[in-house]
Amino acid sequence: MKQRKITLAILVICCFGSLKLYAQHYIDGRPSASLRLQCTDEGVVLRHGNGADSCDTFGAREAIVNEVDNKYYLFYDGAGKDGWRACLAESDDLKNWNKKGAILALGDPGKSDSKSASAPWVIKSDGVWHMFYLGTPHTTPAPDRIPAFPYLTMKAQAKSIKGPWIKQYDVTPFVEKANSFYTVTSSPGFIVKVNGEFLQFFSGASEDANGTKRTLGLARTKNLNGSWNIDPKPLFPPTEQVENSSVFFEQATKTWYLFTNHIGITKENGEYTDAIWVYWTKDIYHWSEKNKAVVLDKSNCTWAKGAIGMPTVIKVGNRLAMLYDGVEGTSTSHMGRDIGLAWIQLPLKIQ
């Protein structure tokens, strides 16, 4: 009877949401998140394979969404026949997308974006659209051509979010730095203007004998065509193993939320993007790794039970829409990814 009561208690706790039973334990002891931000997954809304000029033949990932004049513009990384390039799709409802093809060309041999020009984050200022995209001169062999370190932040601009985008090779926003948290990765992220300056939540990574450590950093500038100053300390300890960012400010609670993809690790698959996490703070300049929760993983995603990648969020009425990438089934591959959509009720409630 005693054993039955204990079992029943565990079932009740599971059903009604114990904060601690959500925690994932990783083989190398990296931190996990025990809280949850509930979301409802709608499934795949953009599939790879039919983009113009074979731009996304091998995959579609790194979803980055913007809204302009009641239309949604989705930048995503198309894994195409020549490499990974930033592609564009348009929608009126976030569910049905009209693909426009690649918007960035690979750089000429010798350029820092000669093998990949992808993951673009944009912001409009004084009538000009400014783009910060990931460039690298290194990839894995064909046909996958997965971007490899270093990941660099590069610049382009346009008069319209649709382009055409003009690369600005004479602008160097920021670069990797020895003996820092961003020695092999200093790639772009979400940008917002606060207190008269632009803040960019960029991805930083370093390597040592134990592998790659990933985190997020804060870069600042008042001139989008100039250089950025990087805060010496990352937002979170590199042991958090997070990369890429999308930031949302909830006016009702005066709280900033940072959505990011987490890198997990298993004995069978090694490291891969296993979940979307969210962090929160009242002070955009200061964040704590203690304030975090899981948003989406294999337990509540309807189609991706292995790899779940980078999120981007945007407010739609009384909900927050979250676009992300994943692989259908249990695969943890970088390739063959599609883009899904999930919804989060506002105001945001961590459970």
Side-chain angles (χ1 to χ4, degrees):
M1 178 63 73
K2 182 177 181 181
Q3 180 61 42
R4 182 179 179 182
K5 289 182 178 179
I6 293 174
T7 303
L8 181 59
I10 292 174
L11 288 172
V12 170
I13 290 172
C14 290
C15 290
F16 288 95
S18 167
L19 300 182
K20 297 301 180 184
L21 291 181
Y22 287 131
Q24 169 72 47
H25 298 289
Y26 297 103
I27 60 173
D28 64 348
R30 68 186 58 186
S32 59
S34 59
L35 303 181
R36 281 271 177 178
L37 174 59
Q38 298 297 330
C39 73
T40 301
D41 185 40
E42 190 155 320
V44 177
V45 293
L46 185 144
R47 293 190 181 276
H48 75 280
N50 62 349
D53 195 28
S54 304
C55 69
D56 60 9
T57 295
F58 302 112
R61 57 181 293 173
E62 309 286 299
I64 301 170
V65 67
N66 298 269
E67 182 184 5
V68 180
D69 297 330
N70 297 316
K71 184 177 286 290
Y72 298 102
Y73 296 87
L74 176 69
F75 296 112
Y76 69 94
D77 286 1
K81 59 182 180 179
D82 299 321
W84 293 27
R85 295 192 289 160
C87 300
L88 176 65
E90 299 178 6
S91 174
D92 294 320
D93 59 6
L94 294 173
K95 301 177 185 179
N96 301 284
W97 293 94
N98 180 18
K99 294 182 179 180
K100 298 297 183 179
I103 58 167
L104 290 177
L106 296 179
D108 294 332
K111 294 292 187 182
S112 294
D113 60 351
S114 60
K115 294 299 179 66
S116 183
S118 52
W121 291 89
V122 300
I123 188 169
K124 188 178 183 181
S125 179
D126 296 328
V128 176
W129 283 93
H130 297 265
M131 171 185 285
F132 296 84
Y133 68 94
L134 184 153
T136 182
H138 301 139
T139 66
T140 63
D144 291 352
R145 294 188 175 91
I146 301 168
F149 295 151
Y151 295 163
L152 307 169
T153 292
M154 305 185 72
K155 179 74 165 56
Q157 66 179 28
K159 294 181 180 179
S160 166
I161 194 170
K162 298 181 181 181
W165 293 95
I166 309 301
K167 294 181 180 180
Q168 298 171 273
Y169 285 119
D170 58 331
V171 177
T172 303
F174 44 83
V175 297
E176 68 276 25
K177 181 181 178 181
N179 301 315
S180 72
F181 66 89
Y182 53 102
T183 61
V184 294
T185 292
S186 55
S187 56
F190 180 88
I191 306 162
V192 64
K193 190 173 185 180
V194 178
N195 298 327
E197 67 177 351
F198 297 97
L199 306 179
Q200 183 169 174
F201 294 80
F202 75 97
S203 295
S206 61
E207 291 184 317
D208 58 26
N210 296 316
T212 304
K213 299 295 189 298
R214 307 166 185 84
T215 186
L216 300 169
L218 190 63
R220 314 181 190 212
T221 190
K222 291 186 177 181
N223 177 13
L224 291 172
N225 283 318
S227 60
W228 295 64
N229 295 316
I230 293 179
D231 289 3
K233 293 184 177 181
L235 298 183
F236 311 107
T239 51
E240 288 292 284
Q241 293 286 16
V242 293
E243 62 180 3
N244 302 313
S245 62
S246 182
V247 178
F248 170 69
F249 180 66
E250 188 168 61
Q251 186 67 38
T253 60
K254 307 297 182 185
T255 303
W256 293 92
Y257 292 89
L258 186 154
F259 293 79
T260 181
N261 64 265
H262 177 260
I263 308 297
I265 185 171
T266 65
K267 183 178 180 180
E268 297 77 17
N269 300 304
E271 289 190 311
Y272 67 97
T273 56
D274 72 333
I276 295 170
W277 287 9
V278 64
Y279 295 81
W280 61 91
T281 184
K282 296 286 187 178
D283 180 357
I284 193 172
Y285 301 101
H286 298 95
W287 300 74
S288 172
E289 70 276 15
K290 297 179 181 179
N291 297 334
K292 65 187 175 190
V294 177
V295 184
L296 189 73
D297 62 9
K298 65 181 180 181
S299 71
N300 61 337
C301 185
T302 60
W303 59 284
K305 302 299 182 178
I308 296 175
M310 193 191 88
T312 183
V313 295
I314 191 166
K315 187 176 183 292
V316 181
N318 63 350
R319 296 187 296 174
L320 200 61
M322 182 175 74
L323 289 148
Y324 64 94
D325 64 69
V327 184
E328 200 153 18
T330 59
S331 171
T332 60
S333 174
H334 289 284
M335 309 307 295
R337 296 200 183 189
D338 299 309
I339 293 174
L341 171 66
W343 296 97
I344 308 169
Q345 194 68 37
L346 294 173
L348 301 182
K349 295 180 180 179
I350 307 297
Q351 298 181 343

